[in-house]
DNA sequence: GCCAACGTTGGC
DNA sequence: GCCAACGTTGGC
């Protein structure tokens, strides 16, 4: 059974619009360098899981759209690349430290659902987003997911057909 | 720009 | 293994 997740990104660096514009609307979600987030990526996330894309550190932080996990977890190649900002000299191919998955864009909300609004929803009070800051890959419960889909229902447009 | 929360580092 | 210092995250 599919699980639900929230991935944070700073839209100035990489946004839901960037994701939608990728070839096949698919991208490697790499560069995660936090152990708790790593553990989710390595141990808990599976192909077919659903992802909320969250825009942080921007004018209107909040949920910007949805994506789907389209690969199994695998070692993040950037940890082995000395020219990458995500290079980790203490990692090795034999004992990789960091993991990633590929995700595919599913939907963009016409307007971000602001975190300030999410805070006002009683049923979302237990979200990891509020219980624990600073975690860029975090689980979302099925109940939370359904509420968030409801909130986004009238603020969503379908994925543009890829050429 | 402020600052609270929290992860990481490094001396001991 | 403790914990102070430091760095980063991220909303406001």
């Amino acid at each position: 059974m599919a699980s639900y997740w929230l991935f944070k990104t700073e839209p100035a660096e990489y946004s839901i619009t960037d994701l939608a514009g990728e070839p096949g609307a698919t991208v490697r979600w790499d560069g995660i360098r936090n152990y708790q987030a790593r553990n989710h990526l390595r141990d808990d996330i599976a192909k077919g899981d659903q992802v909320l894309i969250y825009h942080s550190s921007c004018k209107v932080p909040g949920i910007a759209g949805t994506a789907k996990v389209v690969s199994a977890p695998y070692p993040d190649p950037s940890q082995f690349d000395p020219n990458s900002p995500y290079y980790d000299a203490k990692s090795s191919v034999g004992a990789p430290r960091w993991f990633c998955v590929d995700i595919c864009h599913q939907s963009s909300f016409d307007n971000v659902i602001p975190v300030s609004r999410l805070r006002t929803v009683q049923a979302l009070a237990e979200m990891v987003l509020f219980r624990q800051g600073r975690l860029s890959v975090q689980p979302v419960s099925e109940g939370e997911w359904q509420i968030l889909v409801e909130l986004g229902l009238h603020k969503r447009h379908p994925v543009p057909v890829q050429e």
Side-chain angles (χ1 to χ4, degrees):
Chain A
M1 193 184 70
S3 302
Y4 305 95
W5 304 94
L6 182 150
F7 288 4
K8 292 183 185 174
T9 182
E10 297 188 16
E13 298 295 321
Y14 194 86
S15 73
I16 186 90
T17 306
D18 294 324
L19 174 59
E22 298 281 0
T26 297
V27 78
R28 170 185 295 150
W29 204 259
D30 61 2
I32 302 298
R33 295 295 182 269
N34 166 283
Y35 284 104
Q36 204 173 345
R38 186 283 306 272
N39 291 345
H40 287 313
L41 278 170
R42 186 188 61 188
D43 305 331
D44 305 328
I45 295 184
K47 186 175 179 178
D49 284 359
Q50 299 285 126
V51 179
L52 298 164
I53 301 298
Y54 181 90
H55 283 177
S56 66
S57 296
C58 57
K59 191 171 180 183
V60 184
I63 296 172
T66 63
K68 189 171 189 174
V69 177
V70 294
S71 78
Y74 61 99
D76 179 348
S78 66
Q79 69 195 302
F80 308 125
D81 177 5
N83 296 318
S84 168
Y86 302 120
Y87 178 62
D88 185 345
K90 294 178 180 170
S91 188
S92 67
V93 176
R97 181 176 290 187
W98 307 111
F99 285 75
C100 62
V101 291
D102 297 342
I103 62 169
C104 180
H105 178 263
Q106 276 198 318
S107 67
S108 296
F109 299 157
D110 289 332
N111 299 104
V112 165
I113 307 174
V115 67
S116 58
R117 179 169 180 212
L118 301 183
R119 279 186 199 285
T120 68
V121 180
Q122 187 72 36
L124 298 178
E126 297 300 314
M127 281 188 75
V128 176
L129 186 66
F130 302 126
R131 308 292 292 184
Q132 178 184 357
R134 305 171 17 109
L135 184 59
S136 58
V137 171
Q138 56 179 256
V140 172
S141 76
E142 186 172 2
E144 289 160 355
W145 174 272
Q146 282 170 5
I147 288 163
L148 291 160
V149 165
E150 290 281 318
L151 285 176
L153 203 58
H154 302 296
K155 290 187 173 182
R156 191 189 311 202
H157 60 74
V159 183
V161 175
Q162 296 298 308
E163 299 281 330

